[in-house]
């Protein structure tokens, strides 16, 4: 498989070039974090400025010579560019510096290869890598750019490069077929949740914003969380209880990043489908980051690209523990609806406020009243307690029980239907009492 790799720490030379304002710019600090996440050892960094990208070597002849000298001096294993290089630029630089060259996209793919754990994740990573390698195959076959010959190898004139491209196409089609099966399974799961009226809440955000830590706090899960880019790759779904709403499904997804390669967006379509079809998106933001405005823009761009820009949104400003004397709060829009919640996933501050905001956005109609249950209504009582909808319970002298119930109206009606009790027994017009006499 393509994504199998050597886990040893390569000696890496980092290259970052500044271009004029207006061009797509990359963050050198984020690049260093990517390199660390990939497990490479950053031995040296070469910076520079250019007015425009050189079509042959991206950085120009003088800078390539400087890179070559650094490769020899520091015994570098791989040169990492904080930019997207064309296949020809990669080949030209490799030929001059006599060292392996990898651009930003290739580096991100390598990190994804390390993080993939589930069957689906590995399929998606391999598909993205194969699509990335498709335009770079000539690099490995320059010495075989002729027709094969010899006993048993004479044929219609297919070159070694053509053979390799054909095998790659076969593998890509095989992966697409297997991913379609995975997508069907996910669709089936979503249909089942839809039939059971279970809302889905999807966590999205810039990589390392604290999504997995928040996910663990809210669901008591043990998803891997670390202070590194792309710590989470494989999607995880867990059930959590929300007051007034009942059970909801919370989905933890892969983090986004500046200039996320289109190959990754396409490969992870099945995973991102959870976000597209969610009832609510929690956009987790690192509020302590000085670059949070640009990070928010990048996430919004990806959401628009996958068709999720119309899904109900709630911003979660995480890491308030890194701010000075900042308390958890809910910010509201002009109509009074929650727009932003300030929390700390690492300490749990603001967790209850966040759950309250989720309930407020998703619970459209709430039943809040007292029910007098007869002894024969034990099944309804048990179901209401199971759904954690009972606020108070009182026993009457005649043997009846009075329950103070608060829950979503649709869920309450469904509970009544499950136990065979007509809704008219408890749900009356607004001018009448909910209490049965």
């Amino acid at each position: 498989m393509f994504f199998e790799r050597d886990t040893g720490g390569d000696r890496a030379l980092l290259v970052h070039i500044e271009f004029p304002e207006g061009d797509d710019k990359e963050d050198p600090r984020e690049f260093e974090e990517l390199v660390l996440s990939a497990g490479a050892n950053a031995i040296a960094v070469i910076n520079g400025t250019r007015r425009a990208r050189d079509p042959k070597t991206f950085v120009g002849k003088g800078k390539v010579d400087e890179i070559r000298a650094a490769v020899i001096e520091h015994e570098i294993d791989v040169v990492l560019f904080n930019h997207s290089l064309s296949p020809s630029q990669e080949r030209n630089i490799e030929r001059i510096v006599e060292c392996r060259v990898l651009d930003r996209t290739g580096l991100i793919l390598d990190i994804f290869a390390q993080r993939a754990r589930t069957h689906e994740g590995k399929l998606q990573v391999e598909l993205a890598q194969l699509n990335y390698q498709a335009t770079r195959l000539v690099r490995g076959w320059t010495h075989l750019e002729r027709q094969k010959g010899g006993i048993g190898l004479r044929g219609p004139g297919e070159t070694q490069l053509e053979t390799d491209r054909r095998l790659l196409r076969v593998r890509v089609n095989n992966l697409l077929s297997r991913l379609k099966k995975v997508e069907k399974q996910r669709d089936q799961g979503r249909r089942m949740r839809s039939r059971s009226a279970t809302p889905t809440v999807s966590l999205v955000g810039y990589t390392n914003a604290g999504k997995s830590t928040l996910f663990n706090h809210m669901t008591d899960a043990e998803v891997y969380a670390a202070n590194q880019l792309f710590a989470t790759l494989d999607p995880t779904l867990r059930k959590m209880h929300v007051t007034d709403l009942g059970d909801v499904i919370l989905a933890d997804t892969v983090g986004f990043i500046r200039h996320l390669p289109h190959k990754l967006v396409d490969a992870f379509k099945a995973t991102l489908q959870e976000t597209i079809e969610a009832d609510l998106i929690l956009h987790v933001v690192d509020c302590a980051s000085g670059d949070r405005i640009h990070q928010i823009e990048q996430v919004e761009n990806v959401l628009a690209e996958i068709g999720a820009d119309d899904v109900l949104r709630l911003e979660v400003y995480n890491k308030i523990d890194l701010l000075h004397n900042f308390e958890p709060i809910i910010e509201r829009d002009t109509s009074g609806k929650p727009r932003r919640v300030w929390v700390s996933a690492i300490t749990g501050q603001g967790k209850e406020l966040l759950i309250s905001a989720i309930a407020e956005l998703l619970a459209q109609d709430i039943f809040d009243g007292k029910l007098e249950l007869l002894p024969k209504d034990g099944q309804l009582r048990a179901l209401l307690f199971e759904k954690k909808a009972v606020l108070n319970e009182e026993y009457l002298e005649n043997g009846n029980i009075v329950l103070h119930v608060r829950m979503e109206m649709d869920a309450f009606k469904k509970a009544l239907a499950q136990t065979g009790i007509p809704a008219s027994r408890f749900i009356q017009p607004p001018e009448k009492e909910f209490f049965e006499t």
Side-chain angles (χ1 to χ4, degrees):
M1 281 191 177
F2 262 87
F3 78 83
E4 292 175 352
R5 64 184 295 282
D6 178 15
T7 56
D10 291 332
R11 295 173 60 85
L13 173 67
L14 281 52
V15 180
H16 175 79
I17 306 298
E18 289 285 346
F19 292 96
E21 289 293 336
D23 283 10
D24 288 339
K25 302 185 72 174
E26 304 292 359
D27 185 353
R29 293 171 301 174
E30 183 177 87
F31 180 47
E32 291 177 8
E33 291 180 15
L34 280 171
V35 173
L36 289 174
S37 295
N41 296 321
I43 305 300
V45 179
I46 289 182
N47 294 298
T49 56
R50 283 188 64 86
R51 292 183 178 178
R53 294 156 176 77
D54 184 85
K56 291 185 177 180
T57 61
F58 188 82
V59 293
K61 185 179 182 305
K63 188 61 68 174
V64 171
D65 290 340
E66 182 182 344
I67 293 171
R68 174 179 166 78
V71 166
I72 296 172
E73 178 185 354
H74 299 289
E75 298 181 348
I76 296 298
D77 298 312
V78 59
V79 178
L80 301 175
F81 277 76
N82 191 22
H83 311 275
S84 293
L85 303 178
S86 69
S88 61
Q89 286 171 339
E90 271 193 19
R91 290 195 299 271
N92 292 336
I93 298 171
E94 281 188 345
R95 186 169 56 249
I96 297 172
V97 303
E98 297 180 348
C99 180
R100 186 157 49 98
V101 173
L102 204 60
D103 68 355
R104 180 184 172 87
T105 301
L107 179 62
I108 293 174
L109 284 170
D110 186 85
I111 296 172
F112 273 44
Q114 297 178 58
R115 302 286 190 267
R117 293 293 179 267
T118 65
H119 174 66
E120 178 189 1
K122 291 178 180 180
L123 290 178
Q124 290 171 323
V125 170
E126 187 179 358
L127 177 61
Q129 286 187 312
L130 288 171
N131 287 330
Y132 175 75
Q133 292 288 346
T135 56
R136 288 164 164 77
L137 284 176
V138 66
R139 175 177 60 186
W141 296 111
T142 51
H143 63 295
L144 293 171
E145 196 65 38
R146 60 179 184 274
Q147 291 181 0
K148 295 181 294 186
I151 297 174
L153 294 176
R154 297 183 182 92
E158 188 178 59
T159 67
Q160 180 63 54
L161 178 59
E162 290 167 344
T163 301
D164 207 58
R165 282 177 175 161
R166 176 171 51 80
L167 293 174
L168 187 145
R169 284 195 300 271
V170 170
R171 180 62 179 164
V172 166
N173 290 334
N174 178 262
L175 288 172
L176 287 172
S177 176
R178 293 164 70 180
L179 279 171
K180 281 183 180 178
K181 292 181 180 178
V182 173
E183 191 171 349
K184 286 181 180 178
Q185 292 172 347
R186 285 191 173 277
D187 285 340
Q188 185 177 11
R190 280 190 289 268
R191 285 196 298 271
M192 290 179 63
R193 293 197 296 271
S194 177
R195 284 198 296 269
S196 64
T198 305
T200 300
V201 178
S202 181
L203 286 169
V204 305
Y206 207 77
T207 182
N208 204 28
K211 297 183 299 300
S212 295
T213 305
L214 183 63
F215 181 85
N216 288 339
H217 257 290
M218 297 182 71
T219 63
D220 296 324
E222 296 182 356
V223 171
Y224 176 69
N227 185 26
Q228 58 184 205
L229 303 187
F230 298 117
T232 300
L233 178 61
D234 300 308
T236 308
L237 281 72
R238 292 288 187 276
K239 187 181 290 186
M240 61 175 282
H241 182 80
V242 175
T243 305
D244 296 341
L245 196 61
D247 290 334
V248 303
I249 299 297
L250 187 64
D252 188 19
T253 60
V254 62
F256 301 152
I257 196 169
R258 182 183 282 101
H259 305 150
L260 187 69
H262 288 278
K263 300 178 182 67
L264 290 179
V265 175
D266 291 339
F268 283 79
K269 225 161 203 175
T271 299
L272 296 173
Q273 198 71 23
E274 295 291 349
T275 299
I276 299 171
E277 300 187 10
D279 297 285
L280 173 66
I281 290 177
L282 299 184
H283 180 176
V284 183
V285 178
D286 179 357
C287 67
S289 171
D291 198 31
R292 74 183 185 196
I293 300 300
H294 291 99
Q295 292 176 359
I296 292 172
E297 289 176 355
Q298 293 300 319
V299 173
E300 294 294 338
N301 289 341
V302 175
L303 290 175
E305 187 176 342
I306 65 175
D309 48 343
D310 292 331
V311 181
L312 183 63
R313 200 84 43 88
L314 175 65
E315 290 184 347
V316 181
Y317 272 40
N318 185 30
K319 304 187 182 181
I320 63 171
D321 53 289
L322 300 179
L323 304 179
H324 183 63
N325 292 333
F326 202 95
E327 295 296 324
I329 57 171
I330 296 180
E331 290 185 21
R332 299 178 180 275
D333 59 20
T334 53
S335 63
K337 290 185 177 180
R339 178 175 66 94
R340 181 180 299 145
V341 184
W342 296 72
V343 304
S344 170
I346 199 74
T347 66
Q349 290 177 281
K351 173 184 173 182
E352 297 304 323
L353 288 179
L354 177 57
I355 292 177
S356 173
I358 292 172
E360 192 172 339
L361 289 172
L362 291 181
Q364 300 299 320
D365 191 10
I366 298 296
F367 174 86
D368 189 347
K370 293 183 177 181
L371 316 176
E372 184 172 342
L373 303 185
L374 306 175
K376 65 179 182 179
D377 298 327
Q379 186 181 359
L380 175 61
R381 175 185 177 277
L383 189 57
L384 293 174
F385 269 100
E386 180 184 330
K387 293 182 177 296
K388 301 179 181 178
V390 179
L391 300 181
N392 185 47
E393 182 179 34
E394 178 185 352
Y395 290 86
L396 302 181
E397 291 182 359
N398 62 3
N400 292 350
I401 301 173
V402 176
L403 300 182
H404 184 184
V405 174
R406 181 179 172 87
M407 65 190 301
E408 192 177 23
M409 182 64 79
D410 287 343
F412 179 55
K413 289 179 179 178
K414 186 177 180 181
L416 293 175
Q418 280 183 254
T419 54
I421 298 176
S424 58
R425 181 176 160 188
F426 297 115
I427 303 175
Q428 304 294 336
E431 64 273 10
K432 295 186 180 180
E433 292 288 334
F434 284 120
F435 190 97
E436 182 189 70
T437 58

